[in-house]
Amino acid sequence: MPYDRSMLKIKNINCTIAASSSSLVDLYLQTAIYSSAMAALRRLYLSVYNWAVCFGWSVSWMLCSWKVQVLYNAASALLESRHDAVYPAVERPLLFAQTTAFLEILHSILGFVRSPISVTLPQISGRLYVTWGILWSFPETHSHILVTSLIISWSITEIIRYSFFGMREAFGFAPSWLLWLRYSTFLVFYPIGLISEVGLIYVAMPSMKASEKYCFRMPNKWNLSFDYRYMSVLLTALYVPGFPYLFRYMVAKREKALSKTKTA
């Protein structure tokens, strides 16, 4: 009968729609579960990363024979000896902590954190350059007083920053006093860090010229020349536009973060 055939077709269509709806619901649930799992893994990873690097700046760890305490070692060396003893006391943990920060560039690229790459890249690359390209490469800088101001400003800033993000990723919040420190101490320590970084690059210039370290002179098989000192001058010049940009970015974040605590 035509009527029966029509009813059969309608039933088949309804079954198809029901099956499609069930598939869509299953897909939605799977996607939601996957997204939740990935978000949890991201928070766990960032929590472990931030606390690990924070410990690298402040607390004793690693094989019990190492004291990777950048701030503690710097303060101890300064109190027990003089400023020229600071760098030898902190070299290993400093290299570890600053090199590990390279991962923050990847975090920004992959979208693990909200910080834009335009902020993360110059900040991390600048510190890596000073750590490896100046301090590690030119021992003549180790005894300068600017090493002490650099280490102290870096250490205090990083301990506050990593502990703040570590707490926020682990527990979903951070105490108001830690929030205030995170977005206030940079007003003092960013300029100190800038002066120390630029000053140490300048201190290393005579050694760069005399030793010609990392330089390539013509003729050579690559048929090119490279002067590390000139590159350092160029990188130092980038501080002129770079520092105001980063500082204004942090001031804007400070206003936004502290305004939320006032309205809460």
Side-chain angles (χ1 to χ4, degrees), residues 73-144:
N73 287 2
S76 298
L78 189 61
L79 292 173
E80 295 173 4
S81 301
R82 294 177 48 186
H83 66 268
D84 52 3
V86 169
Y87 184 80
V90 304
E91 182 178 35
R92 284 189 178 184
L94 176 68
L95 294 176
F96 162 78
Q98 288 291 38
T99 304
T100 305
F102 174 77
L103 291 172
E104 294 188 28
I105 298 175
L106 298 179
H107 296 166
S108 182
I109 294 173
L110 296 173
F112 285 6
V113 295
R114 296 179 181 178
S115 299
I117 190 66
S118 60
V119 172
T120 306
L121 182 61
Q123 187 173 25
I124 300 302
S125 58
R127 290 189 176 189
L128 285 172
Y129 166 68
V130 172
T131 301
W132 289 99
I134 299 299
L135 294 176
W136 184 80
S137 298
F138 299 98
E140 297 83 0
T141 61
H142 295 177
S143 59
H144 202 279

Side-chain angles (χ1 to χ4, degrees), residues 155-227:
S155 299
I156 294 176
T157 300
E158 297 309 299
I159 290 170
I160 294 171
R161 184 165 73 97
Y162 285 113
S163 59
F164 170 78
F165 287 115
M167 266 197 115
R168 198 173 67 174
E169 293 295 338
F171 306 111
F173 71 95
S176 57
W177 60 267
L178 188 56
L179 175 70
W180 185 88
L181 287 175
R182 165 69 182 105
Y183 291 108
S184 299
T185 52
F186 78 91
L187 295 169
V188 175
F189 292 116
Y190 265 33
I192 293 175
L194 169 72
I195 294 170
S196 302
E197 290 177 27
V198 173
L200 287 169
I201 295 172
Y202 177 79
V203 169
M205 288 289 180
S207 300
M208 294 181 194
K209 184 178 180 180
S211 65
E212 294 195 341
K213 201 170 190 176
Y214 308 135
C215 293
F216 296 98
R217 301 300 183 195
M218 299 277 285
N220 55 60
K221 63 181 181 179
W222 296 288
N223 198 32
L224 59 85
S225 64
F226 173 77
D227 195 306

Side-chain angles (χ1 to χ4, degrees), residues 179-180 254-264:
L179 175 70
W180 185 88
R254 179 179 190 272
E255 293 176 354
K256 184 178 180 180
L258 296 185
S259 65
K260 290 181 180 179
T261 60
K262 291 179 180 179
T263 57

